[in-house]
Amino acid sequence: MKETILSVKDLTISFQTLDGKVCAVQGVTFDLKKGETLAIVGESGSGKSVSVKAINRVLPQGNTLYEKGEILYNGCNLLELPEKEMQKIRGKKIAMIFQDPMTSLNPTMTVGKQIAESIVKHQKLSETEAMKEAVNLIDLVGIRNPEESSKNYPHQFSGGMRQRVMIALSLACKPEILIADEPTTALDVTIQAQILDLIDELKEKLNMSVIFITHDLGVVAHVADRVAVMYAGRIIEVGTAEEVFYYPQHPYTWGLICSMPSLDTEDENLYSIPGAPPNLLNMPKGDAFAQRNAYALQIDFEEKPPFFKVSDSHYAATWLLHPDAPKVIPPEEILRRYKTFKSFNKKEKEVDVYDASIACAGE
Amino acid sequence: MTQVLPAQENREVVLKIRGLKKVFNPGKKGEVRAIDNISFDIYKGETLGLVGESGSGKSTTGRSIIKLESITSGEVTYKGQDISKLNNKQEVLKFRKSMQMIFQDPFASLNPRIPVKTIIGDALRLHKICSTDAEVTQRVNELLDIVGINRSYANRYPTEFSGGQCQRIGIARALCVQPDFIIADECLSALDVSIQAQIVNLLIKLRKERAITYLFIAHDLSMVKYISDRIAVMKDGKILELADADELYNRPLHPYTISLLSASPLTDLHKEKQRKRIDYDTSTHKYPEGTVAGMYEILPGHWVYCSAAEVLKYQQQALSASDMGN
């Protein structure tokens, strides 16, 4: 069992807006283990960015209300830490890559300087040493002519290269946790693939834990060890990548998987989830997904489903898993995936049995 | 070199593009060859997917076809009419009545200060499809029904809608003139996954019901494959490969297409973990001066941008790929 490095418990965050209180995150709970990549998937407005921004406390201070919950890192609750202490963690221990590489870099500073600034601040190196370190980092993320490039301004780089600069910047202090908030959404597929590989490679090299936020299931499949699916401010399913991809339980996860055509989808009509995500200002009673859910039960409209355990690592918040719930047949694509999951697990079980017999013989 | 693409038998060519070039800031320091001599046909009722990375010139191609950009040289012929010869407003209006565009950003392409019924209604009045207010209201309601927006929302402003709904309004506006040809320029990329599927199904439904021809511009390969009959791959202002959708995916020939396909993430976990990315060397499609390079038909209907000397190489590659398939 790997050691847990960060644990978020029952996090509830709301924003004060002119229209009233918006509850963006409701009771989100997850753990991050050392060296793993946790992917958080969801549509825009599902609260995935808000949850992770809370970890680094970079949400707007004026109107954010941390209503409930705690974020434990090394035994201390980050939400209660004074700002001074938080500055020692933010960027140094927990670093973040943002979605838009253009707006998150300072356009009036050379990229080398920007990276060096963070090194000077956190590692107390001299400016020349920091600059040398910055050049090393630029080299590490695969930008050609690091020496030259460090003297360039952000606008002189392409989108993909700028995102690499962002990564170099976030790695400046060798963080333990890297939070990547849709780092490839603004990029082309070829560049996206390079950035994903780069994050993966650096994760291994520096033994980081990564929280990866995305809405693209293909990207999730590429990077994730574990996956959490969010909808309307709540995590609705969490499990290992294998479990979520091949044995999904929540109808929303089914919908997400089915509505993305793979390169060999031939069906006449693409499966689509009807309607749109609910307005967070006036959340419906019961399960937020019920209105769009073809498999909704009566109880979905009345009461929020709790988490049901599927396996030790796999939980889903849907009443369909309740022992009294009627059996439903998921979409065909999902059934195909169930088959794959079963065949895969059978093999594993056989291995288990085999191992057990050896153990018995040994005794 | 202008290549001549033979028309496929029994199929009516709606849009014919020959040697299209678009240069921004010609002769100046910041000269950009956005489109560099491309030629292709679009047949009646088909969906041609145009894929490529940002900066490859795919949007400029769409905008040039519908005359939102002037073209530097080349020929765009729509239903037998050279569109560069359309000069006065009346002619352009008539042309746009037949060809419409759906834009990438659903919010930016709708005027936030006027309600939906005016956004769609103005288009109806401009094209003189309806004259009285009652007619306009009725037609707007019909259009909202088609794209799946509640009629009672007609008085609302664009900001009151979600991205998916705004995109539907954009589609309704494009449909109001009953076009035969729609250019969809990255119309899905600003939308959430669950909404993308709804819009794709809507586009497919419209194609079935109204025999609309689409030029579908996108960078998401799996979506393009799903919706298109044929696909053209663009890079640096050139079309590097053009083939039937299945053919292109099963037997990509140009190294860039192969690289692009290998970079596209898959939603199947096991396949994705095994996926190997193939890098592309951009010098492949840059030929030294004097070499004649152009689109060559390697297999029937499968075109690749290469030099005359490379044709044989690609043909062999195609043959060995099909051998492997068997």
Side-chain angles (χ1 to χ4, degrees):
Chain A
M1 197 67 185
K2 280 181 187 164
E3 142 193 29
T4 300
I5 180 164
L6 181 87
S7 107
V8 175
K9 283 187 185 143
D10 198 22
L11 184 68
T12 302
I13 299 170
S14 57
F15 295 107
Q16 208 67 52
T17 68
L18 289 177
D19 297 331
K21 208 170 78 172
V22 175
C23 205
V25 173
Q26 298 164 29
V28 162
T29 301
F30 62 86
D31 285 343
L32 181 68
K33 306 259 188 313
K34 193 147 183 61
E36 80 164 350
T37 302
L38 170 73
I40 303 181
V41 209
E43 298 181 59
S44 40
S46 61
K48 49 195 197 310
S49 286
V50 174
S51 323
V52 296
K53 279 184 180 160
I55 297 173
N56 244 350
R57 296 237 310 262
V58 288
L59 290 167
Q61 275 172 357
N63 60 353
T64 310
L65 286 174
Y66 297 97
E67 298 205 1
K68 257 198 309 190
E70 48 187 16
I71 299 171
L72 294 174
Y73 170 72
N74 277 346
C76 65
N77 185 358
L78 294 182
L79 292 180
E80 284 166 359
L81 227 50
E83 179 59 26
K84 260 230 147 111
E85 293 295 308
M86 194 61 216
Q87 279 177 5
K88 287 183 191 158
I89 292 178
R90 187 187 297 136
K92 189 172 183 187
K93 300 285 184 198
I94 306 175
M96 197 156 175
I97 309 171
F98 295 92
Q99 175 169 2
D100 185 345
M102 193 62 221
T103 51
S104 30
L105 290 170
N106 184 342
T108 65
M109 256 170 119
T110 63
V111 298
K113 253 218 170 109
Q114 290 187 51
I115 300 171
E117 188 187 29
S118 148
I119 301 172
V120 171
K121 171 102 184 143
H122 287 296
Q123 298 182 353
K124 311 272 179 298
L125 291 176
S126 76
E127 224 153 89
T128 26
E129 280 173 310
M131 208 51 201
K132 224 183 256 167
E133 183 60 30
V135 172
N136 283 343
L137 282 164
I138 292 174
D139 190 29
L140 182 74
V141 296
I143 297 177
R144 265 167 282 163
N145 305 331
E147 195 87 32
E148 301 259 297
S149 304
S150 72
K151 295 190 186 89
N152 286 350
Y153 289 90
H155 74 267
Q156 289 168 296
F157 292 92
S158 66
M161 284 298 150
R162 252 179 250 149
Q163 199 54 283
R164 282 168 192 255
V165 172
M166 276 300 294
I167 295 173
L169 187 59
S170 63
L171 295 177
C173 298
K174 311 250 169 344
E176 288 184 36
I177 301 172
L178 181 69
I179 299 172
D181 186 0
E182 307 240 12
T184 57
T185 310
L187 306 175
D188 289 315
V189 274
T190 38
I191 314 294
Q192 164 174 293
Q194 292 168 14
I195 297 287
L196 293 182
D197 287 352
L198 174 70
I199 293 179
D200 241 11
E201 186 194 314
L202 294 173
K203 184 192 108 181
E204 296 289 314
K205 232 187 231 171
L206 307 171
N207 194 19
M208 289 187 298
S209 309
V210 180
I211 300 179
F212 204 103
I213 297 183
T214 178
H215 62 265
D216 186 337
L217 283 177
V219 172
V220 176
H222 191 85
V223 298
D225 300 314
R226 281 196 311 135
V227 182
V229 184
M230 279 190 84
Y231 185 78
R234 298 184 80 206
I235 290 183
I236 50 110
E237 182 155 7
V238 60
T240 63
E242 197 131 79
E243 286 163 339
V244 173
F245 272 95
Y246 292 112
Y247 201 54
Q249 297 298 320
H250 199 286
Y252 178 65
T253 319
W254 295 348
L256 270 192
I257 290 175
C258 296
S259 58
M260 297 185 99
S262 63
L263 290 177
D264 39 48
T265 303
E266 299 276 340
D267 309 351
E268 184 83 334
N269 245 329
L270 205 54
Y271 182 93
S272 72
I273 307 173
N279 186 345
L280 293 173
L281 267 172
N282 40 25
M283 286 285 278
K285 200 177 158 211
D287 186 5
F289 185 59
Q291 264 82 11
R292 306 175 71 190
N293 185 355
Y295 302 91
L297 309 171
Q298 189 55 43
I299 190 164
D300 274 314
F301 293 95
E302 286 156 20
E303 212 175 311
K304 273 187 189 143
F307 267 108
F308 289 94
K309 184 175 166 180
V310 184
S311 78
D312 280 340
S313 52
H314 189 185
Y315 294 84
T318 163
W319 285 114
L320 292 179
L321 289 172
H322 192 273
D324 296 341
K327 286 273 162 284
V328 296
I329 299 166
E332 228 166 274
E333 167 69 23
I334 300 300
L335 287 177
R336 261 202 296 279
R337 282 169 182 258
Y338 280 7
K339 257 187 213 152
T340 320
F341 186 74
K342 266 192 196 132
S343 66
F344 192 77
N345 263 19
K346 216 186 262 161
K347 262 184 232 153
E348 259 187 4
K349 284 221 178 81
E350 276 166 14
V351 174
D352 277 354
V353 171
Y354 180 67
D355 281 348
S357 66
I358 293 177
C360 285
E363 277 171 21
Chain B
M1 183 185 119
T2 30
Q3 317 87 22
V4 181
L5 310 177
Q8 266 171 311
E9 278 168 45
N10 308 328
R11 296 192 71 181
E12 187 189 334
V13 175
V14 188
L15 184 77
K16 195 164 98 180
I17 292 173
R18 290 292 176 272
L20 179 65
K21 271 189 192 174
K22 170 73 193 172
V23 182
F24 290 103
N25 301 330
K28 292 190 193 137
K29 198 181 150 208
E31 187 183 275
V32 176
R33 290 166 158 240
I35 311 174
D36 195 1
N37 195 3
I38 61 170
S39 305
F40 60 90
D41 289 335
I42 298 182
Y43 300 108
K44 194 174 163 58
E46 82 163 347
T47 300
L48 180 77
L50 192 57
V51 289
E53 52 195 64
S54 41
S56 60
K58 54 191 193 309
S59 286
T60 313
T61 306
R63 295 172 66 88
S64 303
I65 292 172
I66 201 165
K67 274 182 89 66
L68 283 172
E69 304 277 3
S70 60
I71 56 180
T72 309
S73 70
E75 236 177 83
V76 177
T77 317
Y78 178 67
K79 290 188 176 166
Q81 190 179 22
D82 187 347
I83 65 142
S84 59
K85 298 215 170 74
L86 303 174
N87 288 322
N88 68 49
K89 210 175 162 190
Q90 289 309 317
E91 282 173 341
V92 172
L93 260 185
K94 205 177 142 217
F95 162 65
R96 296 242 174 94
K97 208 169 165 178
S98 174
M99 186 189 284
Q100 282 286 317
M101 188 154 181
I102 306 167
F103 296 92
Q104 174 167 12
D105 187 335
F107 298 106
S109 51
L110 299 177
N111 186 341
R113 288 166 192 276
I114 56 176
V116 167
K117 64 168 188 204
T118 317
I119 290 176
I120 303 174
D122 276 356
L124 290 168
R125 287 200 184 87
L126 180 73
H127 287 285
K128 301 201 174 62
I129 294 165
C130 302
S131 46
T132 66
D133 283 355
E135 264 178 11
V136 170
T137 313
Q138 197 204 340
R139 189 81 189 105
V140 168
N141 282 341
E142 283 168 20
L143 285 162
L144 290 179
D145 284 347
I146 293 170
V147 295
I149 299 250
N150 197 320
R151 285 179 177 204
S152 63
Y153 294 171
N155 284 320
R156 294 193 181 182
Y157 290 84
T159 44
E160 296 174 75
F161 293 98
S162 68
Q165 285 173 319
C166 282
Q167 198 58 283
R168 285 169 191 266
I169 294 164
I171 294 174
R173 180 177 58 182
L175 287 178
C176 75
V177 295
Q178 302 200 317
D180 310 317
F181 192 105
I182 290 182
I183 299 174
D185 184 5
E186 301 257 17
C187 66
L188 302 174
S189 55
L191 304 177
D192 273 319
V193 188
S194 71
I195 311 296
Q196 281 186 5
Q198 292 175 10
I199 300 291
V200 164
N201 284 340
L202 174 62
L203 292 176
I204 290 175
K205 188 182 121 204
L206 293 171
R207 178 172 68 189
K208 252 187 242 156
E209 288 172 1
R210 297 163 174 240
I212 294 173
T213 312
Y214 287 108
L215 175 62
F216 189 83
I217 302 171
H219 65 266
D220 178 347
L221 291 160
S222 41
M223 224 27 129
V224 173
K225 155 94 189 318
Y226 181 73
I227 199 172
S228 306
D229 301 311
R230 288 191 306 147
I231 294 173
V233 180
M234 260 188 109
K235 165 94 179 162
D236 291 347
K238 291 188 174 70
I239 288 180
L240 295 184
E241 190 160 359
L242 174 70
D244 278 351
D246 287 329
E247 167 80 10
L248 189 88
Y249 279 83
N250 296 331
R251 195 158 46 181
L253 293 178
H254 197 281
Y256 180 66
T257 314
I258 296 172
S259 159
L260 203 61
L261 284 173
S262 80
S264 164
L266 308 167
T267 49
D268 191 305
L269 187 72
H270 293 309
K271 281 188 202 155
E272 174 64 21
K273 295 273 184 211
Q274 283 159 10
R275 179 168 65 87
K276 283 268 176 303
R277 188 157 53 82
I278 300 159
D279 281 329
Y280 175 67
D281 180 5
T282 44
S283 64
T284 312
H285 65 269
K286 295 200 173 96
Y287 295 95
E289 218 147 300
T291 314
V292 181
M295 294 294 275
Y296 287 91
E297 193 170 21
I298 304 298
L299 293 164
H302 194 148
W303 298 77
V304 173
Y305 179 84
C306 61
S307 68
E310 285 174 319
V311 173
L312 197 64
K313 186 191 92 184
Y314 280 119
Q315 270 168 350
Q316 279 165 351
Q317 190 187 332
L319 282 177
S320 65
S322 52
D323 279 349
M324 260 159 52
N326 298 334

